[in-house]
Every structure is written in structure tokens, then in C-alpha cells.
Amino acid sequence: MSQAPLENAAWVTVSVACSATALIEFVQNLERLFRLNPYLEIRQWKEESTQGAAKKIQFNALNEMNGVNYDLTLDFSQITAQEFVVHYSASFKERLEIKITDTAPCATLTLIERYRKLPANEHQRHLQEVDQGLTPWAVSIKNYIEGLARWGRLPLYRWYKEKFWLSMSPRHRRIARLLLWTTVLEFIVFFFVFIIYWLEAAR
């Protein structure tokens, strides 16, 4: 995985253990893709029109990392067989480019966020709007796809991840994850205490 700044842009590349075809199909579910951003609280997602791969979406969300609110239209379109773009109608962020490369046996996903070119004084005022969550987002996408490949055959796993887990806000997901790991640790501690007690009682 790599990330680096470009001119008025930031990008991240991650290797995903799946075919390029599967990754192309995955990214076309744009709502799921955006909900996988671990710092983006989506308040409204309303698809106004769909023509093939192209979509127009009314989008309202809060970026928890930099505090930026989005209330705008997203225009999603396919540029080539392995490239997609999402245009933001009104924000410092101009567009998101999604590029997929076949690097069999894996595929490579590149996310490029490009920002509007503004006069120097205005550009400085908007720097806090630069999204610092690009790398966690790419990692979240990678983990989700590879998790489905590994556990997707288990009963209800796919339903749980797509219908329940992703419907939660990122904040609630973090709380749920913390409670889950706390419960697991408590069980492990209880198990070891029980084993020690049983061994002592058996003497």
C-alpha cells in the first residue's frame, strides 16, 4: 500500500486479494463503497437517476476526521473498463478517481482525490478540508472484500456485514467493535480463572 500527495490531489494504492473483474463489480456499488469509509457518517443517500453504470446521487454526510459537512450531488460514471470517477457538485474536493489494475493473482485499487484549483489565499483557507482518511478508507475496502471471500459462506455473515454493519454510523461501529473485543477478553479471563480453579480443586 502506498500514499503520496500530488498536485492538488492525494492518492492511495492498495493490493486486494481478488480478481480485477470482482473488484470492478464491487466498486460500482457506490453506496457500499462510501459507507466503508470509517470516518464518513452518511446522513442521506438518494439515487436520483441511474443509466447503466452512471449514477446521480443526492449526498449528505459528515467527515468525522476533519469536520467537513457535505450536502451536494455526486455524479458517478465509468471512464474506461477499469476506471471510474465521482464528481462532487460543490466542495473543495472536486472529484474522486477510482482505478483498478489487474496484478494477478491480486488486483490493485487506486483512489485519487483531486481538489479544486483556487487562488492562493482561498486555497490556504480550504486546506483543513483535505481528507486525511484516504488510507483508512482503502484499508477498510480491502479488509471488507477479503473478509467476504474468507467468511462469506457462513450463514448470515454476508447479510450481517451488508445490511446491519454498514447501516451503522462509523461511530457506532467503533463502539460495537470495542464492546465485542471487551466481551471476548472478559470471556478469556473468565476461562483462565476457571481452569486455574479447576486445577487447584483437582489436587
Side-chain angles (χ1 to χ4, degrees), residues 85-150:
V85 65
V86 181
H87 288 276
Y88 295 79
S89 64
S91 73
F92 181 49
K93 191 182 295 186
E94 184 177 34
R95 68 185 184 273
L96 168 70
E97 297 171 6
I98 305 165
K99 299 183 179 182
I100 296 160
T101 307
D102 188 353
T103 53
C106 297
T108 299
L109 173 67
T110 300
L111 303 177
I112 303 174
E113 289 191 328
R114 298 196 180 273
Y115 295 87
R116 300 185 191 278
K117 294 181 180 180
L118 301 173
N121 58 333
E122 288 188 43
H123 191 275
Q124 193 67 28
R125 287 193 292 109
H126 287 279
L127 282 180
Q128 75 276 7
E129 297 178 31
V130 173
D131 192 349
Q132 302 297 321
L134 199 55
T135 295
W137 187 14
V139 171
S140 178
I141 294 169
K142 170 186 170 69
N143 291 343
Y144 187 88
I145 294 173
E146 294 179 355
L148 283 181
R150 187 176 297 112

Side-chain angles (χ1 to χ4, degrees), residues 147-148 150-160:
L148 283 181
R150 187 176 297 112
W151 307 108
R153 294 183 181 180
L154 294 178
L156 299 179
Y157 180 85
R158 190 176 294 271
W159 174 88
Y160 166 75

Side-chain angles (χ1 to χ4, degrees), residues 42-54:
I42 297 177
R43 296 165 174 169
Q44 182 189 36
W45 184 280
K46 182 180 179 183
E47 293 193 8
E48 291 191 328
S49 62
T50 302
Q51 295 180 347

